[in-house]
Amino acid sequence: MTLVPPNRRDFFIYTMDLKTKYGDTALIAGASEGIGAAFACELAAQGFNLVLVARRIEPLQMLAGRLAERYNVRSRCLACDLSGEDAAEQVIAALEGAEPAILVYNAALSHIGTFIDHPLEKHCQAARVNMITPLKLVHGLGGRMLDRGRGAVILMSSMAGLQGSGYLATYAATKAFNRVLAESLWYEWNEHGVDVLACSAGATATPGYLNSLPAKTSLLAPAVMQPEAVVSECFRRLGRQPSFITGRVNRAASFFMQRILSRKRAVMIMGDNTRKMYRL
């Protein structure tokens, strides 16, 4: 990944001195590329030391080296399969008492295609990566934030989770869980110094998305954003609202889908678009 320096104008729009408000260490799960690496770059630019978590250690170490050279910050790299039954416990144990001030959960697993054609274990694996592991991390690390009276949690959700999404059934369901969890905890925790935010991203130019070779389908197809733009929006909205949809075009499309169309029609459009995008 090429490090893209944060947009300074955006930085001054949302800056509230995050280190003073929350602390000086951030944990990013799913940090090796795409949005997770963009979070790492932005937080390093603000002087945070990092705990970088992903399945493969080599990309994390390469990213950590670039961040140290550019921003003079320290990064711990933890290789962990986040689909494991005890993945969250492994991550928390590896912290050895360290107290992340910000938790960003970006890791996600999506199996595209008809629900029944994927083995059950693949659906369970996606549920663990997308839902169970972040639930455990939020419970474990969020509890410590509450004890300290400050902290922040950002859960990456998806526009696929705003309604049923054919050919993405398990992924969409888990992303709906993340959004509702974050919104609920925003209400519970915002008076105790802990900010929680769900970011419902549309199509984003991550390696995973680009490698899936999606076709453009219609005017309602998601606008592709850059990871840095998604991260910038997250920090502008952190502490101000429980959840949001990235990008003006995505928000306009969501308004049309959620407020104008019937639920049935919205589900049909999502399924039709996914089928066309991936030539199913």
Side-chain angles (χ1 to χ4, degrees), residues 66-110:
R66 293 194 292 269
L67 294 174
E69 181 178 356
R70 179 181 288 271
Y71 301 114
N72 193 31
V73 297
R74 298 189 306 274
S75 299
R76 291 187 59 190
C77 300
L78 303 180
C80 181
D81 180 357
L82 294 169
S83 71
E85 296 280 358
D86 63 344
E89 291 85 350
Q90 289 182 36
V91 171
I92 291 173
L95 293 175
E96 299 177 342
E99 302 284 356
I102 296 178
L103 167 63
V104 177
Y105 197 91
N106 171 69
L109 182 59
S110 173

Side-chain angles (χ1 to χ4, degrees), residues 5 10 20 30 39 50 73 105 109 115 117 127 138 144 146-148 151 157 162 220 227 232-233 236 254-255 268 272:
D10 286 347
T20 298
F39 268 113
L50 304 173
V73 297
Y105 197 91
L109 182 59
F115 178 81
D117 283 345
V138 170
R144 298 178 185 180
L146 288 173
D147 289 341
R148 296 194 304 273
S157 184
L162 298 177
L220 290 177
S232 178
E233 276 206 73
R236 289 203 302 274
S254 177
F255 180 86
M268 290 179 65
D272 288 346

Side-chain angles (χ1 to χ4, degrees), residues 124-145:
C124 293
Q125 183 185 37
R128 290 191 295 270
V129 173
N130 301 355
M131 188 168 62
I132 301 302
T133 297
L135 174 66
K136 290 181 175 181
L137 286 174
V138 170
H139 189 274
L141 300 179
R144 298 178 185 180
M145 294 176 188

Side-chain angles (χ1 to χ4, degrees), residues 13 44 59 67 69 82 96 118 121 126 137 140 155 198 201 235 274:
I13 288 173
L67 294 174
E69 181 178 356
L82 294 169
E96 299 177 342
H118 291 295
E121 177 52 29
L137 286 174
L155 299 181
F235 284 117
T274 302

Side-chain angles (χ1 to χ4, degrees), residues 22-41:
Y22 299 126
D24 61 5
T25 302
L27 186 153
I28 305 167
S32 58
E33 61 185 24
I35 294 173
F39 268 113
C41 182

Side-chain angles (χ1 to χ4, degrees), residues 161-205:
L162 298 177
Q163 67 288 299
S165 298
Y167 307 110
L168 294 169
T170 299
Y171 174 78
T174 59
K175 289 303 179 178
F177 174 89
N178 289 339
R179 177 175 53 82
V180 174
L181 176 65
E183 291 175 344
S184 303
L185 296 181
W186 172 85
Y187 177 83
E188 291 186 25
W189 292 358
N190 72 45
E191 293 184 356
H192 302 282
V194 179
D195 294 325
V196 185
L197 178 69
C199 170
S200 293
T204 307

